[in-house]
Amino acid sequence: MRRTILVAAVFLGVAVTLTTEVLSTMRALNRTGLALAWLVVIVVGAGWLLAKRRHGSSAVAHLEERMAVLYRIGAADRYWAATLLALMGLVAGVAAIAVVAPPNTWDAMSYHMARVAHWIQGESIAMYASNSPPQVVHPPWAEYAIAHLQIMSGGDRLANLVSFAAYVGCIIGASLLARQLGSGRYGQLLAAALCASLPMAVLQASSAQNNLSAAFWVVCLAVFVLDEGSGDPTADGLLVGTSLGLAMLTKYTGYVYGLPFLLWFLWRVGRRRGWQYVLKRALPLLIVSVVVLNAGHDARVGATFVRALREQRPASLVEQGHREDAGAIPADQTPQAPKRLIHLENGRLLVALPVRYANQAWDPQALLSNVVRNLSLHMGTPIPALNALATGAINGLHRVIGASVNDPNTTYPQGYYRGVRFTMHEDDAGNPLHLVLILSLPVWLLLKPTGPERRRQWLYGGAIAAGFLLFCAVFKWMPWHSRLHVTPFVLGAPLAASVIDERWGRRTSLGLALIALAVALPWLFWGSPRPMLGARSVFAQPRSSQYFANRPGLEAPIRQIASMMQQSGCERIGLLIGGNDWEYPLWVLLGAEAGSKEIWIEHVGVVNFTRFIERTRPAFRPCAVYSTRMRDANIVIAGQEFRQAFSDKEGVLYMPW
């Protein structure tokens, strides 16, 4: 039953991708288009179920059978049933937060939800000029799914459910992986509990982030690699290829975490069917599966980069020096210091590639530094003395190997290493209990080198370790990497469970599962920015204020700016913002997050590689501009001069002169 759920999830993931791509080519990514598309998907799915039923396999009957088995197990073993109920309670608590709270992660406000709003507005996922390159470059699958829910529901009430569904999928997949690694029902329940209780997973599951979605597709990939499957190598290869393709379409980490499992699959197929079969059948099928899913997004991004490189020019914004004098246009009617006047539409293209995420050093010292610093993100405890001791050890290790703990070749520019610390925020929370369990696994496996699934456990653990090492070798370290470590921790849960279940049995497995679930409760109850309890509880704060949980100082000024826009009757809003600035709350306050016939919002003054898109579209003439980049100048857009109508440290509103 669990494998069937994962296969169905992969089918739905492909359906989301293909329907989004097809509807976008017709600019029909709207409620009518989606309703018709999903009607087709439902008909195809129903036909598949009927076909299986004719062959003697009924999904409903199978579900009833599995539920009956669970009931019998629970009746016979009350401790197992109590642990399962505790797990379900934790998941229910996360679900409540996901439904009640709005998306409010920093990245969601700057690009995850913002790109969704732009797609809905244009009824297409076509490229658009943006001051935030991640909106158009980063893998988009999770946002495709959010867009579907947002269009059909008319708002962002369901936006967090994409991550929550991935969270549940990871729990199901972890329990199935534990069975594939030799665990009985106690080890499988422990694997599910360890996965569900990951502090970072608990926090991310109620957000609009894409880390759990990427982890889920890699979990599906691992399941299909370990599974003997249907015996049809073509079907197995298709499932492996589509899982990998969806992981890559969701997040860049899908490449590094999925590659070792892909190589394992090819090695297994090669040993069983020969390497000619791999080269002529298996590998081409995998490539086609990945390419079909990623071709649309990759082609759009690639074409934009090629065009940008051809049109590269040395300047971006052109300041009109002849206007920088006493005759410059004032911001109001009272005498004041001269204002610069900047013509935004006259700037030539400047190809400003995103800050390099990739390491620029590949020596052993650089790799060891990144491994240690990444692991240290999960070492934080509520005891400051222990954190200081760990920090001192890490700094000492760097001195011994002759490396800097903040080497710019291996450290993200804004990612200064601050040492080991304890946090309950979704951006940088660690998984200390799970780290101890996973790092102890090699010891237990070596102490008992023989076992029923020992070879498979070593191969599986090696694939996880290889993915993590590849991650450390490829990406510069940054203090927010613990979010990107969700995948190896989810994958590590079933391995830990299988070893513990085999070595210590029922009591230890159930006891440790309950301990892990209890340890996760503080992150559920008081985790930031969506706590269940306390004065800032998602059940106590107004929904509209929760968007600003990570940035409360922005709420008052952006409400004022949105109100002034509405009072002016302006329907064409320009965004002159930085690459990491928040724009989605403005969409919400203007009532345009799920599409609007009255409001149209676009980026202006774009100087990155998407700049040329502005020139290939009809001229956009805003009647108001929200800016975080220009504060001491009047501006001209499409021949219209704008002056400051409202100014605050968080942003400026420009209105026509």
Side-chain angles (χ1 to χ4, degrees), residues 317 319 323-324 328-331 336-342 576 627-635 642-644 646-648 651-652 654:
L317 300 182
E319 297 189 10
R323 299 298 301 271
E324 290 193 36
I329 299 175
Q336 63 174 44
K339 290 280 185 178
R340 291 179 298 157
L341 184 65
I342 298 181
L576 183 59
S627 173
T628 59
R629 285 165 49 192
M630 297 293 175
R631 297 179 182 277
D632 60 347
N634 293 321
I635 58 177
F642 289 78
R643 67 175 179 86
Q644 294 183 8
F646 174 85
S647 180
D648 183 86
V652 175
Y654 283 99

Side-chain angles (χ1 to χ4, degrees), residues 483-503:
R483 297 178 303 173
L484 310 185
H485 299 160
V486 169
T487 299
F489 274 98
V490 169
L491 292 171
L495 180 59
S498 67
V499 173
I500 292 168
D501 184 40
E502 176 194 322
R503 187 171 180 83

Side-chain angles (χ1 to χ4, degrees), residues 45 69 77 89 119 183 317 364 651:
V69 170
D77 191 336
W119 293 340
S183 290
L317 300 182

Side-chain angles (χ1 to χ4, degrees), residues 208-436:
Q209 287 276 43
N210 56 12
N211 301 291
L212 278 170
S213 297
F216 173 64
W217 297 129
V218 178
V219 166
C220 290
L221 171 64
V223 167
F224 299 138
V225 169
L226 268 69
D227 194 15
E228 298 300 325
S230 61
D232 181 355
T234 301
D236 295 343
L238 191 61
L239 287 171
V240 169
T242 50
S243 298
L244 179 62
L246 288 168
M248 293 165 61
L249 188 62
T250 304
K251 203 169 187 69
Y252 291 125
T253 53
Y255 291 80
V256 295
Y257 292 137
L259 180 60
F261 286 97
L262 174 64
L263 295 177
W264 184 6
F265 175 76
L266 293 174
W267 174 77
R268 193 191 74 185
V269 173
R271 289 194 62 188
R272 291 183 179 180
R273 294 181 170 268
W275 293 103
Q276 280 194 343
Y277 181 88
V278 170
L279 295 175
K280 293 181 178 179
R281 292 284 300 275
L283 190 57
L285 180 62
L286 292 170
I287 293 173
V288 169
S289 301
V290 170
V291 168
V292 166
L293 291 170
N294 288 268
H297 175 68
D298 290 347
R300 287 187 293 272
V301 174
T304 305
F305 268 112
V306 170
R307 178 72 177 271
L309 291 171
R310 282 205 304 259
E311 300 195 13
Q312 183 171 348
R313 297 294 187 272
S316 53
L317 300 182
V318 178
E319 297 189 10
Q320 304 301 310
H322 65 279
R323 299 298 301 271
E324 290 193 36
D325 52 24
I329 299 175
D332 52 40
Q333 299 304 313
T334 59
Q336 63 174 44
K339 290 280 185 178
R340 291 179 298 157
L341 184 65
I342 298 181
H343 288 251
L344 298 181
E345 74 275 13
N346 290 341
R348 292 184 174 183
L349 177 67
L350 174 66
V351 177
L353 299 179
V355 176
R356 291 190 63 178
Y357 293 97
N359 277 320
Q360 295 169 274
W362 298 84
D363 53 82
Q365 292 91 337
L367 177 60
L368 179 59
S369 171
N370 272 358
V371 168
V372 171
R373 288 185 296 167
N374 276 298
L375 290 176
S376 75
L377 296 174
H378 306 280
M379 295 179 183
T381 71
I383 306 174
L386 289 179
N387 298 338
L389 184 64
T391 300
I394 292 168
N395 288 330
L397 175 63
H398 279 78
R399 286 193 295 270
V400 169
I401 65 176
S404 170
V405 76
N406 286 302
D407 183 353
N409 292 316
T410 59
T411 307
Y412 191 71
Q414 287 79 39
Y416 182 78
Y417 186 74
R418 292 168 287 181
V420 176
R421 61 198 187 98
F422 179 76
T423 171
M424 297 180 67
H425 195 280
E426 67 175 354
D427 283 345
D428 50 10
N431 307 303
L433 172 63
H434 300 75
L435 179 67
V436 172

Side-chain angles (χ1 to χ4, degrees), residues 597-638:
K597 295 182 179 179
E598 293 79 25
I599 304 294
W600 188 272
I601 302 176
E602 281 193 23
H603 287 252
V604 297
V606 178
V607 297
N608 59 53
F609 64 94
T610 66
R611 171 70 173 87
F612 84 94
I613 299 176
E614 282 189 315
R615 300 199 302 254
T616 59
R617 297 181 61 179
F620 173 66
R621 296 178 177 273
C623 49
V625 176
Y626 169 58
S627 173
T628 59
R629 285 165 49 192
M630 297 293 175
R631 297 179 182 277
D632 60 347
N634 293 321
I635 58 177
V636 173
I637 302 176

